[in-house]
Amino acid sequence: MQGIKKEIEEVVSSLKKEGKEHLASEIRKNWRKNLLEYSKHIHSYRPDRPMEKILKRAFLKEFKRLGYATEESAEIIKHMEKRRILETAPHISPAGKPRFFFIDWLASLALSADDFLPIAMFSGVPFSNKTRPGRLCRKSGDINLLPAVMQDELAYRSKIPPKMDRVIKTQVRELETLLPKAKTGESYTKWALQASQNIEGRFLGGRPVFFDFNEVASNYLLLAIKDAEHPVSRMLFSPSERKITARNFKQSVFFYASYKKNGREQMESFFLRDGYLENATRRIKLDPKILAEELRGRLCPGLVIGFFIFSFMNRFQCFGSFAQVEYLPLYRKKFIKFPFLKKYDIKNAPSGVLTTGGFPENPELYPLDVALGDKFSPNPTLLFGQALLAIKDVLLEHNYSLNLVKK
């Protein structure tokens, strides 16, 4: 214990020197808890207000897209309204990296067999992202499912390319029993979420439900902007309130999209400006009808607007990784200052909890390798601090907050 304490203190000290005060504080307060205790601790949260009806409708639409029966969708939403817990750390992936596997396992550890674990996977990234949304990740090397021409494309609302099923069939024979059928032209994200459910879901506690963070946010926005008095409408369409929002989030991405350049799809980012969503090459006029049309296409909500919906308007306690622990409190601090949001009491909204680390016995444990037979016997009595030290180099050496935390 003494050796772990000293190493944790060194990590905390280094993080403080880098200005990562929230992360340092979360580690200092919680490292002594064992993994099961910590999982119980983060699940103790309960919301202080009802979920918006439009968010329930947004969830229902996403679950229908993913093939859930209406009755099961209603059961999941009812559970979420009561508990208001959301795992938001992982990026979308059919078979992801070890750290995301650990994160989901930790979040699920304290759940009973009847509890749902909603896992909102973020699809607003290009396929070239280091989390590898277009690959089946294994310790022996990733299996790339997509052609080179798609590597810079936005994962959100992308389509399964021709021959992806052939790529799968040329790999490990057992993959065909683990993966859903890949049909050309159908939703890639739906396929990837079903793959995550098949591969990773079997090793998690409770009843994991994998869905797309950005799809739910988009569904919500289409409903919210029909009401001119909704806070989202006011921050996007009201000149005075948009000015406040743009000034406070000048360097933050509000939306992503996909565009074609030299015959290849690429990802672009949009910032909130006076009357427009804007980047270096394109403008989208902020008008409800125009925005609705873009949202029905491939305009993808970003982090600021996504967490405004989940954390601050709907009081979800979002489980996140080390970067999120820094930027969510900053987002809340900014939104608190907006006069038109005063009645929503955002100062008392949750600003996330830390779920990160690695399996101390084997930090390089991939869910796909486990599904194909690797040993999996994690110890829930190990300290949270041990799991954090398993990814010490990531915590200390990655400049992960550079594009997310702007003061």
Side-chain angles (χ1 to χ4, degrees), residues 116-370:
F116 288 102
L117 174 65
I119 301 172
M121 303 187 90
F122 194 82
S123 64
V125 290
F127 285 112
S128 56
N129 186 273
K130 63 183 179 181
T131 57
R132 300 298 182 240
R135 303 187 184 194
L136 296 167
C137 300
R138 301 190 66 184
K139 190 172 184 179
S140 60
D142 298 344
I143 301 169
N144 190 2
L145 301 172
L146 307 177
V149 72
M150 287 184 69
Q151 294 306 312
D152 295 322
E153 183 177 342
L154 184 68
Y156 177 75
R157 292 191 179 167
S158 58
K159 302 296 183 184
I160 293 173
K163 301 179 182 178
M164 193 173 98
D165 60 333
R166 195 180 304 172
V167 172
I168 293 167
K169 287 175 182 177
T170 61
Q171 302 299 327
V172 182
R173 184 182 302 171
E174 293 93 328
L175 282 178
E176 283 195 74
T177 63
L178 291 172
L179 298 172
K181 176 69 175 174
K183 297 179 181 178
T184 300
E186 292 193 352
S187 169
Y188 175 81
T189 58
K190 178 181 177 180
W191 178 89
L193 290 161
Q194 290 172 336
S196 291
Q197 193 88 34
N198 293 354
I199 292 168
E200 185 182 335
R202 66 177 69 184
F203 304 109
L204 304 181
R207 300 162 71 181
V209 179
F210 293 82
F211 62 90
D212 191 324
F213 177 104
N214 309 80
E215 285 283 357
V216 176
S218 181
N219 296 342
Y220 175 99
L221 289 173
L222 280 167
L223 297 169
I225 62 177
K226 291 179 180 179
D227 176 3
E229 292 304 309
H230 193 281
V232 166
S233 291
R234 294 175 72 177
M235 72 171 63
L236 293 176
F237 307 129
S238 167
S240 59
E241 286 144 356
R242 182 174 58 224
K243 186 176 181 180
I244 294 169
T245 310
R247 184 174 66 243
N248 279 275
F249 290 98
K250 187 176 181 180
Q251 299 179 74
S252 299
V253 175
F254 266 68
F255 292 90
Y256 306 100
S258 205
Y259 74 104
K260 193 164 280 189
K261 182 179 180 181
N262 300 324
R264 295 177 62 149
E265 290 283 343
Q266 296 193 30
M267 178 175 159
E268 59 183 344
S269 300
F270 285 92
F271 300 86
L272 184 63
R273 299 294 182 253
D274 187 19
Y276 297 89
L277 295 173
E278 191 173 82
N279 61 28
T281 60
R282 191 156 80 97
R283 277 178 151 194
I284 298 172
K285 185 178 179 181
L286 280 168
D287 170 87
K289 289 184 179 178
I290 293 172
L291 185 61
E293 185 179 350
E294 292 283 350
L295 287 168
R296 291 188 190 101
R298 292 189 71 186
L299 187 68
C300 173
L303 288 170
V304 172
I305 206 154
F307 282 110
F308 177 73
I309 293 166
F310 291 117
S311 293
F312 306 135
M313 286 298 294
N314 285 280
R315 299 307 211 253
F316 272 90
Q317 181 68 282
C318 292
F319 297 173
S321 197
F322 36 70
Q324 188 176 305
V325 168
E326 290 296 325
Y327 64 73
L328 266 192
L330 179 61
Y331 290 174
R332 184 176 65 177
K333 185 178 179 181
K334 291 184 176 187
F335 282 125
I336 287 169
K337 296 185 292 185
F338 294 10
F340 68 98
L341 296 177
K342 187 175 181 180
K343 71 176 183 178
Y344 297 99
D345 194 28
I346 288 175
K347 68 179 182 297
N348 289 319
S351 60
V353 293
L354 179 64
T355 50
T356 196
F359 294 105
E361 311 94 326
N362 184 1
E364 292 300 305
L365 198 59
Y366 287 76
L368 182 53
D369 287 333
V370 173

Side-chain angles (χ1 to χ4, degrees), residues 76-94:
I76 296 167
I77 293 166
K78 183 179 179 181
H79 187 273
M80 285 198 293
E81 180 165 30
K82 180 182 178 182
R83 302 290 290 273
R84 221 72 64 84
I85 294 294
L86 201 59
E87 177 57 81
T88 57
H91 290 179
I92 206 154
S93 171

